[in-house]
């Protein structure tokens, strides 16, 4: 009996412990790993300072959604629909859909790139993985898929050890973390937005709020959940930090530019030696598959909930045609784009994160307006400090996007 | 009487209101209705004034005509009387539009895309909600162009209106001080259908639905739900109401629900319940969920072997309200050991003075409390039983497991696991 009780408590703890950690792991997906790797290999340690800032922003943004989920018991798309009406919901869902399609493309690119390391060409790997994700998620073993690929994600810890063993210049790394530097080079700006876009993505906000609602966490249990969400944000960027450090200490030092997954794997050389490519491949494969499953499923849920269409994997196809249709089409588009001939996988992965970065402010504005609405949140509205950080993220992203557009155009015009 | 035919709410919102001399008064921001009739009556328009941008209510009795492009009042601007919203009135944009409602006929939760108003019995009334694609397009301002485009291919935009008498709004925001919308239609539903609706809505609305049900219906609906959802609802309900619902539930179901709520709350409930019931539940709670012990109920009928058929039937009349199943009666010896089982059928077809020990089936199929759910389900399915007794090492009967407790395990497991997405 005692033992049984203990297990039950542990189970409850793990159940509550889900959303933050899963989001954290899925956050360092194909686009994430690639963006951080390219940032480290192209600019060494110099982008580390902005990781520090994005960690704060990530924690704030995630906490807002988790809190809204706990207080209202509703998903983010429900709240947008009920408070902004149909037109704004349509706008928000279009933004979410575009961002998620690009995320899916990046994750299929990640699947293709990782399995290429093992000698499987994308013509085989991508269609098969799309089918496997489609089948396993719909046939009810989503939880199993989630657990398996979470284990794969643990491989990312290799970056921590690799970063430590690569003998990085710690003095310079720490200095770059705390003292900002900036450049108006388009490549730098793109990576800058890419890092924000990959760390804080639109889909994560919808996902974390829905999972908190689905777990039935209420505001009393929320203090534990809050810790988990904050820990998850820290954990994501802890790994990201070491990806950049490991790449800076190896690729940047050797002057190698990343053109394929094999190049990026060199950063794991200090720990894994000849196995670096295998290890990199496993980590990339796990994170990409996990995120592809989550993003395709959660987009279908968010959109159907917002518009009141029947949804849920317990429904039959003819009961919820839009739900199943969306899920299937999204996976199909993700896979199909990667199969285009002559497409650069690394380029696709980077691009998707930048697009996520451009689109993020729109979703953030909805969130900030909702969380400050006393009618919805009661006493749990944002504090002033929170709002400053949240608005700071929005304004900074918009300014960066504008700078980037100006710089790119002026570069184009010569 | 107001001049009006029929219109959608989305077409009315934001159209100008002018007085009888065409002087602009303001624009419509919302429409108030009064619940009570089958089709709620429109009582007033919330106007945003041109002069000071403030909002106030124009009663419908002041309105002469509601047209496609504008609303005209009966008197001139300076003589119009305005009021403020009254308690008990529902604002269509604020409370119904874009919210979830329950389609009582289709047993599902849907979202309101638009609301149709029409003239019925000399009054402007809310007659239907639009939950379909055409309402969706109308809100986006794309209905006309889409339907024009579809007509080129000889298609028509399908309308999907649901009459207001076939839906049930969900009351959500208690803080706004709204009156409770009667749920009488919801309570007429089968408890399994209520359970299906409840599993589709949000937690605040779940509690609202349960609050409005009778305890008996609530108890039946609750045990159709997954125990962990049931546990969440019970915790959110008022303690008194929760207790009454728990008391109305069969012991094994009540134990399942209580097993899923935090220890301190559970002990509070057990302390407040009737002593006998609480003791039985505590006994059941000791068994892990996944075993025969966790599945069984202690509400069964056992008679001593010395009873005659007549005595047994009399005993049955006294006790049957408590028992979960009366199709099987269990026969025990003086040490309460199970020695046989009797079907209701054999009890009825035999003469009054025959001893039950003469007509019972000896050495019945039994299970032990430690056996897993799956094995119990296999036993029940293999021997085609309606219930199987659970006995301890001394062959004493502890409880029974009925077929509806294990039916879930007999169905293919996937259909059960798919219930929730991520939770």
């Amino acid at each position: 009996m005692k033992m049984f009780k203990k297990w039950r408590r542990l189970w409850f703890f793990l159940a509550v412990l889900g959303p933050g950690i899963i989001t954290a792991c899925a956050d360092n997906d194909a686009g994430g790993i690639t963006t951080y790797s390219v940032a480290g290999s192209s600019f060494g340690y110099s982008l580390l300072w902005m990781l520090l800032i994005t960690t704060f922003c990530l924690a704030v943004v995630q906490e807002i959604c988790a809190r809204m989920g706990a207080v209202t018991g509703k998903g983010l798309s429900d709240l947008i629909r009920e408070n902004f009406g149909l037109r704004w919901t349509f706008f928000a869902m279009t933004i979410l859909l575009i961002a998620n399609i690009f995320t899916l493309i990046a994750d299929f690119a990640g699947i293709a790139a990782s399995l290429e390391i093992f000698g499987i060409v994308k013509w085989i790997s991508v269609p098969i993985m799309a089918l496997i994700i489609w089948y396993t998620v719909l046939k009810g073993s989503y939880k199993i898929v989630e657990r398996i690929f979470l284990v794969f994600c643990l491989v990312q810890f290799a970056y921590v050890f690799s970063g430590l063993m690569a003998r990085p210049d710690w003095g310079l790394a720490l200095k770059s973390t705390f003292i900002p530097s900036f450049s108006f080079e388009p490549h730098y700006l793109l990576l800058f937005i890419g890092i924000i876009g990959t760390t804080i993505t639109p889909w994560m906000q919808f996902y974390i709020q829905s999972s908190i609602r689905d777990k039935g966490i209420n505001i009393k249990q929320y203090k534990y959940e809050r810790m988990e969400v904050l820990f998850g944000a820290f954990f994501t960027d802890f790994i990201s930090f070491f990806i950049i450090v490991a790449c800076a200490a190896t690729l940047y030092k050797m002057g190698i530019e990343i053109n394929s997954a094999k190049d990026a794997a060199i950063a794991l050389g200090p720990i894994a030696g000849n196995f670096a490519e295998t290890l990199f491949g496993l980590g990339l494969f796990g994170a990409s598959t996990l995120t592809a499953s989550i993003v395709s499923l959660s987009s279908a849920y968010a959109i159907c909930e917002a518009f009141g269409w029947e949804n849920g994997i317990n429904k039959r196809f003819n009961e919820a045609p839009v739900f199943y249709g969306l899920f299937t089409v999204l996976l199909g588009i993700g896979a199909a784009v990667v199969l285009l001939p002559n497409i650069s996988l690394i380029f696709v992965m980077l691009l998707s994160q930048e697009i996520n970065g451009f689109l993020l402010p729109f979703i953030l504005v909805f969130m900030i307006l909702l969380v400050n609405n006393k009618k919805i949140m009661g006493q749990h509205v944002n504090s002033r400090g929170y709002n400053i950080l949240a608005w700071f993220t929005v304004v900074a992203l918009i300014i960066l996007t504008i700078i980037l557009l100006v710089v790119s155009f002026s570069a184009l015009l010569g | 009487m107001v001049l009006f035919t029929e219109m959608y709410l989305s077409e009315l919102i934001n159209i100008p209101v002018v007085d009888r001399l065409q002087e602009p008064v303001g624009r419509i921001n919302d429409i108030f209705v009064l619940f009570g009739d089958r089709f709620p009556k429109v009582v007033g328009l919330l106007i945003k004034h041109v002069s000071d941008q403030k909002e106030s209510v124009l009663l419908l009795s002041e309105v002469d005509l509601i047209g496609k492009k504008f609303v005209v009042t009966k008197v001139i601007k300076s003589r119009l009387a305005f009021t403020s919203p009254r308690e008990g009135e529902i604002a269509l944009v604020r409370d119904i539009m874009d919210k979830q409602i329950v389609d009582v006929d289709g047993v599902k939760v849907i979202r309101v895309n638009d609301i149709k108003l029409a003239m019925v019995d000399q009054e402007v009334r809310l007659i239907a909600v639009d939950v379909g694609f055409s309402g969706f397009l109308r809100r986006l301002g794309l209905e006309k162009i889409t339907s024009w485009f579809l007509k080129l291919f000889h298609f028509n935009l399908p309308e999907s209106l649901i009459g207001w008498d076939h839906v049930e709004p969900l009351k959500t925001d208690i803080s706004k001080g709204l009156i409770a919308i009667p749920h009488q239609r919801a309570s007429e539903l089968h408890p399994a259908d209520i359970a299906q609706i409840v599993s589709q809505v949000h937690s605040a609305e779940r509690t609202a639905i349960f609050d409005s049900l009778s305890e008996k219906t609530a108890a039946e609906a609750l045990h159709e739900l997954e125990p962990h959802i049931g546990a969440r609802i019970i915790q959110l309900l008022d303690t008194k109401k929760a207790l009454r619902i728990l008391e109305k539930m069969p012991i094994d179901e009540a134990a399942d629900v209580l097993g899923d709520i935090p220890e301190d709350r559970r002990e509070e409930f057990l302390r407040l319940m009737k002593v006998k019931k609480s003791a039985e539940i505590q006994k059941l709670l000791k068994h892990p969920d996944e075993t025969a012990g966790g599945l069984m109920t202690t509400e069964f009928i056992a008679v001593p072997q010395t009873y005659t058929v007549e005595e047994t039937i009399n005993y049955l009349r006294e006790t049957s309200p408590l028992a979960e199943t009366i199709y099987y009666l269990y026969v025990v010896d003086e040490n309460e050991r199970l020695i046989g089982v009797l079907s209701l059928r054999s009890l009825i077809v035999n003469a009054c003075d025959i001893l039950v020990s003469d007509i019972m089936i000896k050495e019945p199929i039994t299970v032990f409390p430690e056996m897993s759910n799956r094995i119990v389900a296999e036993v029940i399915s293999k021997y085609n039983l309606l219930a199987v007794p659970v006995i301890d090492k001394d062959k004493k009967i502890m409880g029974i497991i009925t077929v509806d407790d294990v039916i879930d395990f007999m169905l293919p497991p996937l259909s059960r696991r798919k219930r929730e997405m991520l939770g």
Side-chain angles (χ1 to χ4, degrees), chain B residues 2 43 110 236 388:
Chain B
V2 187
V43 289
I110 41 193
L236 289 171
V388 64

Coordinates of all heavy atoms in Angstrom, one line a residue, chain B residues 2 43 110 236 388:
Chain B
V2 N -41.9 46.2 -34.6 CA -40.7 46.6 -35.3 C -40.8 46.0 -36.7 O -41.3 44.8 -36.9 CB -39.5 46.0 -34.7 CG1 -38.2 46.5 -35.4 CG2 -39.4 46.3 -33.2
V43 N -34.5 42.2 -26.8 CA -35.1 43.3 -26.0 C -34.5 44.6 -26.2 O -35.1 45.7 -26.0 CB -35.1 42.9 -24.5 CG1 -36.1 41.8 -24.2 CG2 -33.7 42.6 -24.0
I110 N -20.1 22.5 -30.5 CA -19.8 23.2 -31.7 C -19.6 24.7 -31.4 O -19.9 25.1 -30.3 CB -21.0 23.1 -32.7 CG1 -22.3 23.3 -31.9 CG2 -21.0 21.8 -33.5 CD1 -23.5 22.9 -32.7
L236 N -14.0 20.1 -8.2 CA -14.4 21.5 -8.5 C -15.8 21.8 -8.0 O -16.2 22.9 -7.8 CB -14.3 21.8 -9.9 CG -12.9 21.8 -10.5 CD1 -12.9 21.9 -12.0 CD2 -12.1 23.1 -9.9
V388 N -18.9 -11.9 -12.1 CA -18.1 -13.0 -11.5 C -17.8 -12.6 -10.1 O -17.5 -11.5 -9.8 CB -16.9 -13.3 -12.4 CG1 -15.9 -12.1 -12.4 CG2 -16.1 -14.5 -12.0

